[in-house]
């Protein structure tokens, strides 16, 4: 089974308010965009992903993610919030392809590895609806709906419990840390850096290294050759399993 991923991106000026408060709005917005770029880049390199639909009302984020190959859908108006945006994206997908397998993916997974995402999606294909808990074990980073099933997103806050209560099957795979590691705080960012982030996030972290409140950790995990994880390499190389 191949999936269409719906990725929500909130207005950059409002994103990541808990991340490096002392670094200023511009730095936070730059990090939020970097996370989304690296997430979508990795998702598009995943063999289990057919395409990516980004739901956003931010023109800069929309333009940059469209340039990567994502299809951008305008965020709906009204009080629906994140879950409303995700449901809108899923409906948009199925308006054109009623039998599409649809999954949501957080936009703040800068360490995302295509091979790990493929493992999660392959596991999810066994169930009508499934989800993956975040690294903290409280929230959710991915929710799937097989063809013919409503997505029924229940994100924000303690969404792991809500998705489990809705009947979605929790995916219990080990070794998929990059799909669980969303980033909301400086501690989260340090954990993502330890996994190895994509080049856009590495550059953004490097640019703010000297800013007050900024994260002082290394921007990329250093491998045997001393280089960053090759998000920008060929898709086949990016999809290869982790060597470590």
């Amino acid at each position: 089974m191949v999936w269409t991923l719906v990725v929500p991106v909130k207005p950059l000026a409002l994103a990541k308010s808990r991340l490096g408060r002392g670094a200023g709005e511009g730095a936070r917005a730059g990090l939020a965009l970097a996370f989304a770029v690296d997430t979508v880049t990795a998702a598009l390199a995943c063999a289990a992903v057919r395409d990516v639909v980004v739901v956003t009302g931010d023109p800069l984020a929309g333009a940059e993610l469209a340039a990567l190959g994502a299809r951008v859908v305008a965020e709906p108006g009204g009080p629906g919030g994140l879950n409303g945006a995700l449901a809108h994206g899923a409906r948009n997908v199925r308006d054109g392809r009623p039998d599409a397998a649809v999954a949501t993916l957080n936009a703040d997974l800068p360490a995302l590895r295509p091979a790990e995402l493929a493992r999660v999606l392959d596991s999810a294909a066994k169930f009508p609806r499934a989800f993956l808990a975040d690294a903290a074990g409280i929230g959710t980073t991915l929710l799937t709906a097989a063809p013919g099933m409503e997505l029924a997103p229940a994100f924000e806050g303690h969404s792991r419990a809500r998705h489990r209560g809705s009947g979605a099957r929790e995916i219990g795979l080990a070794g998929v840390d990059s799909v669980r590691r969303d980033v909301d705080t400086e501690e989260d960012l340090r954990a993502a850096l330890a996994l190895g982030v994509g080049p856009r996030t590495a550059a953004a972290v490097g640019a703010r290294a000297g800013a007050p409140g900024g994260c002082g950790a290394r921007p990329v995990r250093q491998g045997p050759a001393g280089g960053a994880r090759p998000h920008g390499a060929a898709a086949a190389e990016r999809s290869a399993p982790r060597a470590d």
Side-chain angles (χ1 to χ4, degrees), residues 41-160:
T41 297
L44 287 168
C46 176
V49 173
R50 180 188 188 273
D51 56 352
V52 174
V53 172
V54 170
V55 181
T56 188
D58 190 286
L60 176 58
E64 291 227 20
L65 298 172
L68 296 176
R71 180 164 68 88
V72 176
V73 172
E75 186 174 353
L82 173 58
N83 292 310
L86 291 171
H88 173 70
R91 285 193 300 270
N92 185 280
V93 170
R94 287 181 169 165
D95 282 347
R97 290 184 292 114
D99 293 329
V102 178
T104 71
L105 183 72
N106 289 11
D108 57 351
L109 302 170
L112 183 64
R113 297 178 184 272
E116 291 185 11
L117 177 59
R119 288 185 60 214
V120 173
L121 291 172
D122 288 347
S123 179
K126 302 171 186 175
F127 309 106
R129 292 174 63 244
F131 72 96
L132 186 75
D134 64 10
I138 297 171
T140 304
T141 59
L142 178 138
L143 174 70
T144 67
M149 296 300 299
E150 288 295 322
L151 186 63
F155 282 82
E156 298 185 309
H158 290 73
S159 62
R160 178 187 188 183

Side-chain angles (χ1 to χ4, degrees), residues 154-172:
F155 282 82
E156 298 185 309
H158 290 73
S159 62
R160 178 187 188 183
R162 288 196 299 274
H163 285 135
R164 186 191 292 134
S166 75
R169 180 67 67 92
E170 182 166 0
I171 298 167

